[in-house]
Every structure is written in C-alpha cells, then in structure tokens.
Amino acid sequence: MYGASEATARMSLIDVVQARGAEQSIGFPVTGGAFELLGSDGTIIEQTGVPGELCFRGPNVMMGYAACREDLARGQTCLKLKTGDIALLREDGLHEIVGRKSRFSKIAGVRLGHDAVEIAMAKRQMECAVIGDDKELMLFHERGSSADHLIAAAQITGLGSTRLKAVQVAELPRLPNGKLDYSALKAESGQTARVRDDLEAVFANSFFPHKVSPTDSFAGLGGDSLKHVEISLGLERCLGHIPAGWETMPVSRLVTLQALSHGKSGSLSTELVIRALAILMVVLQHATLWPVPGGAAAMTVLLGFAMGRFQLPLLTKAQFPVFFRPLLRTLPPYFLLVAGYALAWGQVPWASVFLIGNFGFADPVHHTMLPYLYWFVEAFFQLLLLIGGIFMLPSIRKLGGEHPFRLGLYFLAAALVLRYLSPWIWDIGNRKLFTLPWILPLAAFGWCAAHADTSRRRAILLCLALVFMPLFALQGGNWTGSWFKYSVQFVVIVALAYLPVVSFPARLRRPVLIIAHASFHIYLFHRFVPEVLLSAFEDDLPRIIFTTSAVAGGLLLGIATCSVEKAVVRVMRRLWENRETLCSLQNWSAGRFQTVRSPWETPGR
C-alpha cells in the first residue's frame, strides 16, 4: 500500500498477485480515489514514463490544515492532496514513485532524481547519499574513492565533472529511524561550498595575478614563505585547523578535508611559530635595547629554510620568474617607505633605492640610505639574486633536484668561507653584521634543515650547528648579546630539523598566525610608533608604559598595514577578473555617446 496521514493513511494498494513483476509500484488508487501527475508548469501529465508530482483526489482527503481554533470551523479547503512525491505512470497502468519533489535537480536541461542516482550508484556497489540543486549534484560517501564515485556518477547522469562533486565522510548522518538525514547533508554541503569559496579566494588573493584552479596546489604554484604563512592563516580560518602536508594538496582536496574533520588539530608548523617569535624579538629589542638580539637572524634562517622547502622545485625547473615573484609583495611597501623618507628628508636615499645600503658606503646620518633597521630587506633581495644566479647553472639545478641536502652542505661551506674572508677583503667594521656574506651561513643552515629528512642528516646538521654557532658568537664580539643570538639560532635549527609541528592551544593559534603573517610589515613599520606617533609623549610617560605602547603599537601597526595590503590585492583581483565586463561597458558607453550629435555640430564643419 501507499498512503499519507492527510488521506487517512491509504491512497493506493496492489494485490499480491498483481505485484509480481511490479514490486516497485504503488498499485491502483483506492475505491473512490484517483491519481494525477502534475508537471513543473502545473499541467496534467497523461503520457506514460514521464515523471511529475503525484496528486490524489478522493473522499478520504482531509479537510485542510488547522493552525488555530477558528480554522476548525472552516469547511473543506483541500480538495486535492499534493503528495510531494515524484511518480510516473507505467505501461501497465500502475503508478511508481521515483523520488521526492525536493529531491530533484534540473541541470543543463536534464531532470535528475537524487533517489534514482542513489539507486543506480548502489547497483555499482557505490552506496552514497545524493543532494543537489539546479547547478550541481553532491555525492557523500563513506567508502571508496571520490574519483571513482565521480566517474560512475558522470556515466549515470551524463553530467560533466564541473556539475558533480564527491565528498568522503567518516559516517553518513542518519535520523533516529535509520533514514539518511538529508537536512544535515544540505547544511554540510552549504558549509563545504562556503569553505570552497573562501579557500579559492585565499589562494587567488595570495597568488594574484596568477589564476588558480581547484586542481592547483601551493607547491605546484611555486609558493614561497610569505604565501605559506598567508595561506596557513586562511586554512586556520576556513577549516579550523591546518592539515599536515597541505602544501602538496590541491585546493579541491583541502575543501573535502573540511567535511572529513570532526575536531580541530592543535598544532602549528614550527616555522610559523618561529616566525612569530622572531618578529617579537625584533620589536622588543628595538623598543628596550636589551641584549636580546637574534630575531632578524632567525628570520634569515627561515629564508633559507623556505627556499629549500618551497622554492627548490622552481629553481630546479629554471622557473625564475616565479621564483622572483615574492619581490612583487615585499618591494612595494619597502619603496613606499623609501619615498616617505625621501619626502621627509628632501633627499633621495639612492643606496636604499638600489637596495645596496648595507654594502657600507652610504650613511643614514647623511640621508644617503635608510636607517640600518632596514638592512634585512636589502639582504633578502640580494639573497634571492644570489640563489637565482647560482641555479642558472645546469649542474647546480641537477644537483639540487637529486641531492638537495648535499647541495645545502656545499652552500654552507661556501658561505662559511665567504663570511670569514669578507672582512679581510673589504673591512667596513661593525657594519659587516648587515652584509650578505655575514648572514649567508644562517640561510645555508636553514636550507639544510629543510632537507634533513633522515637521522643521519639531522645528526650532521646538529654537529655542524654545535661547532659553528659558538664560533659565530666569538666572531661576533664574544659578549652576552652575541652568545644569546647564536644560542637562539642553534635552537631554531634544531627545532626546524627535529620538530616539524608544535602543539598549540586553539585560542593562541590564530594570534600566532596573524603575527607571523604580518611579520614583514611589522618589521618595516614598527618603529614609527615610538619615533613618530609617541615621540611627543616620551618624556611625560613612565618608561614601562612607553615601552609597552611601543611594542604593542608596533605590532598593531604592522598588522594594520598588512591588512590594508590584502584589501588592495582583493580589490585589484576583482577588478582584474571583471576587466572584460568593464571593457564591454566602456565600449558600449563609447559607442552610445558617439551616436549623440551635438546640437551645435553641423555636417562638414
């Protein structure tokens, strides 16, 4: 039988003899009742095999729905019961339910029943739950691969891959009666769609103007350390955690991880934590002048680590334009800073314009370069040029692709020779601390840490760090600050090699990521707080309040400028994506106005 409470529970039945060969049918209407099928436009369907909404007429149809006492006094308001079921009339005159009205999609002109797709998938031993709209179908499954489900669904429905999505879940949600909970799946799909849009926007903004597709990954796009922090922050916001090994996963896979995750991971990449701590050390040292150096040196180690970990594939494939792409994000705010100093001084600091102020022949006192604080930007630029130039040699590219750790050791040996010989070749006193030869071994240690993937390699790296960090401290002046600085670098190198992730409380992960993401902008702009914004109050405020305000304000100013830059990138990306529409409007308006002749214009004049 088939029925509904609104029709006293029974609308049709079928005799057991008639049911043979028609087990899927609901049979014939009860005596006095009648079925009809309504199309999507409300017309009655009389043909066989054409699905439509099943409606029932009969004396057993209810009077109507009562929502208040007054409704009970009304007469018959329901003459035809729309069941919400989709049925069709068979050749033998029997009706057969093929789905629910809410369980249908019309995609590219093809009407697809979700239940029918589920049944067809089950026949292929691929049980799944199907939901969708008029744009796409989503298949949630517990077992098997999503790729196999997509192939089978495409064969069944005739839809292309852009109209189908498959998501693996740990367990399909069910109602207390054991039926699938499609409402929960719809909520899940809505969240998945939001996550997909958010993640695609994160990748698109980070890699603008390069176009990002769902099959692209961070590593495949040639991500660098700055983008790594930016996308890590986006993953934490969108997924609630940062998946291990996400750098090699396509964007589409990262979206499915949202559906698979039932809890939030409590860990962060060690590199991200070190980056946040390093910039805090930089701001704290500049605000207090305590002997706690080492922040900029740790950031140098991270530069080498990021190049070895993220950008080595670009170098081995000679994709140098992509390798130098980080300069598009780092140099504009730096040159904006240079322009500000030039306006304030009334003189252009040309050594800083050409990023060679750390070579020792310019002086901020005479305004020929920016303050020494900004040596790190110049060293970063020079390091990129050096590494890129070395990898232009085919032999180096081959060695880097086959033996990256061995190349790192050669890199370290050459950097050590350059560090110890450079003062003999070009003695510029203590300003050698800001030069590329002085910091190059730290970057080489970072490169080796990125490829210390075996116990033997980690042991070699540890021994080298144990030998050379004390030597660096002796060479750096043999004072408390120097020993502290290189002790910190030893800890950083060991942490990168032996501790890839760090457990972190959930409430602290996002602040750490925000500071790490804005580290470059904090470095550029943090001194404007005490030296410009608070300079008038320095003599009036207690020292501890002034120092605390300088540290906190420097962090906030850097985070704010980073947010402004992100907003500008988002606007530029949207304008770029809509450039065809804008051009069309421009052409239309140009043509429109060209057809309007001035009343003072006469032909031939």
Side-chain angles (χ1 to χ4, degrees):
M1 58 160 285
Y2 165 77
S5 298
E6 293 89 341
T8 62
R10 182 174 296 179
M11 292 183 289
S12 70
L13 49 83
I14 187 170
D15 185 84
V16 65
V17 177
Q18 295 172 315
R20 287 179 183 168
E23 290 83 0
Q24 302 298 325
S25 170
I26 61 172
F28 298 99
V30 297
T31 303
F35 282 136
E36 65 182 29
L37 299 175
L38 294 181
S40 57
D41 57 356
T43 59
I44 297 177
I45 298 173
E46 297 180 351
Q47 305 95 318
T48 59
V50 179
E53 184 177 7
L54 184 65
C55 299
F56 177 76
R57 294 179 183 273
N60 54 324
V61 173
M62 64 174 181
M63 296 174 66
Y65 290 101
C68 61
R69 178 182 295 273
E70 288 73 18
D71 289 343
L72 297 175
R74 294 191 299 161
Q76 184 85 16
T77 59
C78 183
L79 302 176
K80 178 173 63 175
L81 177 62
K82 293 184 176 181
T83 65
D85 289 326
I86 301 297
L88 54 81
L89 181 63
R90 296 158 45 114
E91 294 288 346
D92 54 12
L94 301 175
H95 286 83
E96 182 177 327
I97 303 293
V98 295
R100 288 287 295 171
K101 185 179 180 181
S102 59
R103 301 266 301 139
F104 262 81
S105 295
K106 189 174 183 180
I107 303 176
V110 179
R111 189 175 177 85
L112 299 165
H114 302 168
D115 298 306
V117 176
E118 287 181 2
I119 293 171
M121 293 290 290
K123 290 180 179 179
R124 299 190 180 205
Q125 307 301 316
M126 293 184 177
E127 288 78 7
C128 62
V130 178
I131 63 172
D133 50 26
D134 291 342
K135 294 182 179 179
E136 66 179 13
L137 290 183
M138 293 193 68
L139 291 78
F140 291 84
H141 62 97
E142 297 177 353
R143 292 175 295 276
S145 70
S146 295
D148 292 340
H149 279 74
L150 286 176
I151 293 173
Q155 294 171 348
I156 291 169
T157 62
L159 297 177
S161 59
T162 58
R163 301 284 191 169
L164 296 169
K165 295 289 185 297
V167 178
Q168 185 179 12
V169 294
E171 185 178 0
L172 291 172
R174 294 186 180 274
L175 299 169
N177 60 7
K179 293 183 178 180
L180 288 169
D181 188 351
Y182 290 105
S183 297
L185 286 176
K186 286 182 180 179
E188 185 73 30
S189 67
Q191 187 177 5
T192 301
R194 177 189 61 78
V195 170
R196 181 177 64 247
D197 294 341
D198 290 348
L199 278 180
E200 288 177 351
V202 167
F203 273 80
N205 289 330
S206 184
F207 286 97
F208 176 79
H210 183 83
K211 188 175 181 180
V212 180
S213 69
T215 59
D216 285 330
S217 67
F218 175 85
L221 292 167
D224 54 73
S225 59
L226 294 177
K227 292 181 176 63
H228 185 261
V229 185
E230 184 174 0
I231 295 178
S232 295
L233 180 61
L235 290 173
E236 171 69 22
R237 185 183 70 250
C238 298
L239 303 183
H241 69 290
I242 302 175
W246 67 266
E247 295 89 351
T248 59
M249 299 179 188
V251 178
S252 57
R253 171 61 178 163
L254 291 172
V255 173
T256 63
L257 288 179
Q258 182 272 335
L260 286 168
S261 62
H262 295 280
K264 296 183 179 181
S265 171
S267 61
L268 284 177
S269 169
T270 301
E271 180 213 3
L272 301 178
V273 178
I274 293 173
R275 183 181 294 272
L277 292 176
I279 194 62
L280 283 174
M281 289 179 63
V282 170
V283 176
L284 188 63
Q285 184 196 9
H286 290 163
T288 62
L289 297 181
W290 294 346
V292 288
M299 293 171 69
T300 305
V301 175
L302 292 180
L303 283 180
F305 180 83
M307 286 186 187
R309 184 183 178 192
F310 304 129
Q311 296 178 284
L312 178 60
L314 302 176
L315 293 167
T316 56
K317 296 176 183 177
Q319 296 179 356
F320 297 111
V322 184
F323 172 74
F324 289 112
R325 192 183 292 164
L327 295 176
L328 297 177
R329 297 291 294 271
T330 56
L331 291 186
Y334 170 76
F335 283 126
L336 181 64
L337 199 65
V338 172
Y341 272 99
L343 290 174
W345 288 342
Q347 178 180 339
V348 178
W350 290 109
S352 296
V353 170
F354 292 105
L355 295 159
I356 52 176
N358 61 336
F359 281 4
F361 57 82
D363 193 341
V365 176
H366 298 95
H367 300 167
T368 53
M369 62 172 286
L370 297 189
Y372 294 128
L373 164 68
Y374 301 105
W375 68 268
F376 183 79
V377 183
E378 299 170 332
F380 168 65
F381 172 75
Q382 295 158 14
L383 180 62
L384 278 182
L385 290 182
L386 176 64
I387 299 299
I390 291 174
F391 269 87
M392 288 184 180
L393 301 174
S395 58
I396 298 295
R397 292 200 297 271
K398 181 179 179 181
L399 181 60
E402 297 177 354
H403 305 286
F405 184 76
R406 186 187 302 174
L407 177 62
L409 294 179
Y410 295 156
F411 177 21
L412 177 60
L416 290 171
V417 171
L418 189 60
R419 172 168 176 146
Y420 283 101
L421 289 182
S422 59
W424 296 89
I425 299 173
W426 189 2
D427 186 9
I428 55 175
N430 285 334
R431 293 191 61 179
K432 65 178 180 291
L433 301 176
F434 309 129
T435 61
L436 182 61
W438 192 263
I439 67 166
L440 201 55
L442 296 178
F445 269 109
W447 180 290
C448 293
H451 297 287
D453 51 0
T454 65
S455 299
R456 179 174 175 271
R457 291 175 178 176
R458 286 191 288 270
I460 293 173
L461 180 64
L462 180 62
C463 292
L464 290 172
L466 278 171
V467 170
F468 284 102
M469 292 305 148
L471 292 178
F472 292 164
L474 290 172
Q475 188 187 16
N478 192 24
W479 67 295
T480 303
S482 181
W483 281 98
F484 182 88
K485 172 181 177 179
Y486 290 106
S487 297
V488 168
Q489 306 322 304
F490 178 79
V491 173
V492 167
I493 293 167
V494 171
L496 290 174
Y498 285 89
L499 192 66
V501 294
V502 181
S503 296
F504 236 79
R507 63 181 179 275
L508 295 180
R509 288 202 302 269
R510 187 162 179 79
V512 169
L513 286 171
I514 290 174
I515 293 174
H517 178 219
S519 58
F520 181 71
H521 294 79
I522 294 173
Y523 187 92
L524 288 182
F525 298 105
H526 71 278
R527 290 306 297 167
F528 280 82
V529 174
E531 295 179 2
V532 178
L533 301 180
L534 297 179
S535 59
F537 308 99
E538 184 172 5
D539 296 333
D540 301 326
L541 292 174
R543 191 63 193 173
I544 187 171
I545 295 179
F546 182 84
T547 301
T548 303
S549 301
V551 173
L555 294 175
L556 293 175
L557 181 60
I559 293 170
T561 54
C562 181
S563 300
V564 170
E565 181 190 87
K566 288 178 63 177
V568 170
V569 171
R570 285 196 298 270
V571 171
M572 292 175 62
R573 180 176 68 85
R574 289 170 183 169
L575 291 174
W576 180 260
E577 291 174 347
N578 296 323
R579 65 190 184 281
E580 294 182 359
T581 303
L582 294 174
C583 291
S584 299
L585 288 173
Q586 183 179 6
N587 294 335
W588 174 85
S589 61
R592 180 83 171 175
F593 286 115
Q594 286 174 0
T595 60
V596 180
R597 187 182 300 275
S598 169
W600 293 277
E601 181 182 352
T602 57
R605 180 176 294 182

